[in-house]
């Protein structure tokens, strides 16, 4: 079914970097055989799933949409892949993204620009653009993305699907190619909230292979989708409906709040006073971490190596100069500068302090409220090419998703209307490890 649909639409959408048809068919057959023998079914038995190409998959090319990992076939599976195997999903292939997850439009992929299925002239968002577009186009039922500063929620919003960034530490990062380790989190992208809860159920849980993995009980998310939000307290930060947010987006959030109000929830305006510093803090910290994480791509250990080098140092330099794209180089330079001696205290350390204040803003709000609600992105999907020459405008697009990563709390994007034929997303943010409440609100609204 999946491959039939892929044949029909993939030429236009271009969501996949690698398709794994032969193995997918063999796996589906093996599952059928198992069923015929009367054995039990896994949680997601037979469900076709696509995987963002920064999650390592054993013997299945994993490029991070970078030239530097052009022919990289990992020798092990990420922990989430093992969990999907237990749940009995069928992996269809690997999905396009911005190179090393740096970007908001998929235009930073070395290979291709995925298109938004709702309007092929617009971007699908990023960096998990392939993950969101493939679900929206019906090529797969589920996909996995990763979210460091909005990369699951923003593309979900642009493509009209449901995308969850779980609490930092809820899903193992073992086998997720690191961009900014203190912010990265894997999460599910699906058509419905219920599907999303099922997929998170399958991939969440403690993992001794990831030292930042949380040892917490995983509740039964699906059983908590009661539709009941009576008496629930919603905080709406005034910073999330202010300057830069388009009129249609603001209107769609107010409409959503009306719906939730009718269902018995109450909302009030609040303030996240430090959110104005979130963008600067995020780009400084994430680039610093990226500059350290990406040091491992040196032409020796994996992937691409330059053809003409005079000596070892020359080989390192040329490999990296030829292998990384523009945006990745920009972040490595920014991060290396921020971490260099003499600047560390002024930039990196200061950004860490501001990050703490941003987290405290959320802690204060969750003392009195159950969820925080706002838009996922300031506008609907923009046109391919519209922002690519202006990195700062592209960065500014992440203003509403980034505070959530800095605070480490969970956030979901659910479809909440259209503007000019393009979907809009509502962002629902919860307290640490309170994915259940986030899902409950999203489900009641859906
Ligand atoms: N767009 C943001 C960035 O470019 C977020 C990326 C992400 O969440 N991986 O860094």
């Amino acid at each position: 079914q999946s491959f039939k649909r892929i044949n029909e639409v993939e030429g236009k959408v271009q969501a996949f970097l690698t398709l794994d048809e032969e193995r997918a068919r063999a796996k589906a057959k093996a599952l059928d055989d198992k069923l015929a023998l009367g054995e039990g079914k896994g949680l997601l038995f037979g469900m076709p799933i696509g995987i963002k190409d920064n999650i390592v998959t054993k013997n299945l090319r994993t490029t991070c949409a970078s030239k530097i990992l052009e022919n990289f076939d990992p020798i092990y599976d990420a922990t989430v892949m093992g969990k999907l195997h237990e749940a009995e999903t069928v992996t269809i292939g690997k999905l396009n993204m911005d190179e090393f997850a740096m970007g908001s439009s998929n235009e930073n992929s070395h290979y291709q620009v995925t298109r938004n299925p709702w309007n092929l002239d617009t971007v699908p968002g990023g960096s998990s653009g392939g993950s969101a577009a493939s679900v929206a186009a019906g090529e797969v039922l589920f996909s996995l993305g990763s979210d460091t500063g909005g990369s699951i929620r923003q593309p979900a919003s642009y493509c009209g699907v449901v995308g969850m960034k779980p609490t930092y530490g809820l899903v193992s990062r073992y086998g997720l190619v690191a961009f900014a380790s203190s912010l990265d989190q894997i999460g599910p992208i699906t058509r419905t909230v219920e599907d999303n809860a099922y997929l998170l159920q399958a991939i969440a849980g403690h993992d001794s292979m990831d030292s930042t993995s949380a040892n917490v009980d995983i509740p039964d998310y699906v059983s908590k989708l009661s539709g009941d939000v009576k008496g629930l307290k919603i905080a709406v930060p005034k910073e999330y409906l202010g300057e830069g947010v388009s009129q249609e987006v603001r209107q769609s959030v107010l409409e959503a709040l009306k719906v939730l109000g009718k269902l018995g929830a109450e909302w009030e305006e609040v303030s996240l006073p430090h959110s104005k510093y979130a963008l600067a803090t995020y780009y400084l910290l994430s680039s610093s971490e990226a500059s350290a994480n990406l040091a491992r791509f040196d032409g020796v250990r994996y992937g691409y190596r330059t053809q003409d080098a005079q000596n070892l140092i020359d080989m390192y330099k040329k490999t990296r100069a030829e292998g990384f794209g523009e945006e990745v180089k920009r972040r490595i330079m920014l991060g290396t500068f921020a971490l260099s001696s003499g600047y560390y205290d002024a930039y990196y350390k200061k950004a860490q302090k501001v990050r703490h204040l941003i987290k405290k803003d959320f802690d204060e709000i969750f003392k009195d409220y159950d969820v925080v609600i706002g838009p996922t992105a300031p506008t609907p999907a923009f046109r391919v090419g519209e922002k690519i020459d202006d990195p700062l405008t592209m960065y500014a697009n992440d203003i509403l998703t980034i505070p959530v990563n800095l605070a480490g709390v969970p956030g979901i994007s659910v479809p909440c209307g259209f503007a000019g034929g393009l979907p809009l997303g509502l962002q629902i943010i919860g307290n640490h490890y309170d994915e259940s409440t986030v899902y409950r609100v999203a489900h009641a609204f859906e």
Side-chain angles (χ1 to χ4, degrees), residues 101-104 127 147-151 179 282-283 331 398:
M102 297 172 186
S104 311
S127 62
D147 191 315
T148 306
S151 278
F179 161 13
Y282 167 82
Y283 276 96
R331 309 258 181 134
D398 301 333

Side-chain angles (χ1 to χ4, degrees), residues 363-383:
D363 290 345
E364 281 306 313
I365 285 186
F366 286 122
K367 282 183 188 159
D368 298 320
Y369 298 90
D370 300 296
V371 289
V372 173
I373 284 188
T376 307
T379 61
F382 46 91
R383 298 178 84 78

Side-chain angles (χ1 to χ4, degrees), residues 8 19 35 49 56 59 124 129 154 157 165 192 199 242 280 295 343 350 360 414 431 443:
E8 285 162 14
L19 284 165
L35 198 62
I49 188 165
V56 305
N59 298 327
Q154 184 254 25
S157 161
K165 185 212 78 90
T192 68
L199 184 50
Y343 295 102
K350 175 133 320 112
K360 265 180 46 191
V414 279
N431 205 352
H443 179 68

Side-chain angles (χ1 to χ4, degrees), residues 117-128:
W118 292 90
N119 176 345
L120 297 172
D121 294 331
T122 64
V123 301
S127 62
S128 313

Side-chain angles (χ1 to χ4, degrees), residues 10 38 55 91 120 138 143 150 163 177 184 212 240 275 313 321 338 405 435:
E10 179 60 11
I55 296 173
T91 299
L120 297 172
S143 69
V177 179
D184 298 340
T212 59
Y240 275 39
S275 60
I313 300 295
N405 300 78
E435 278 76 6

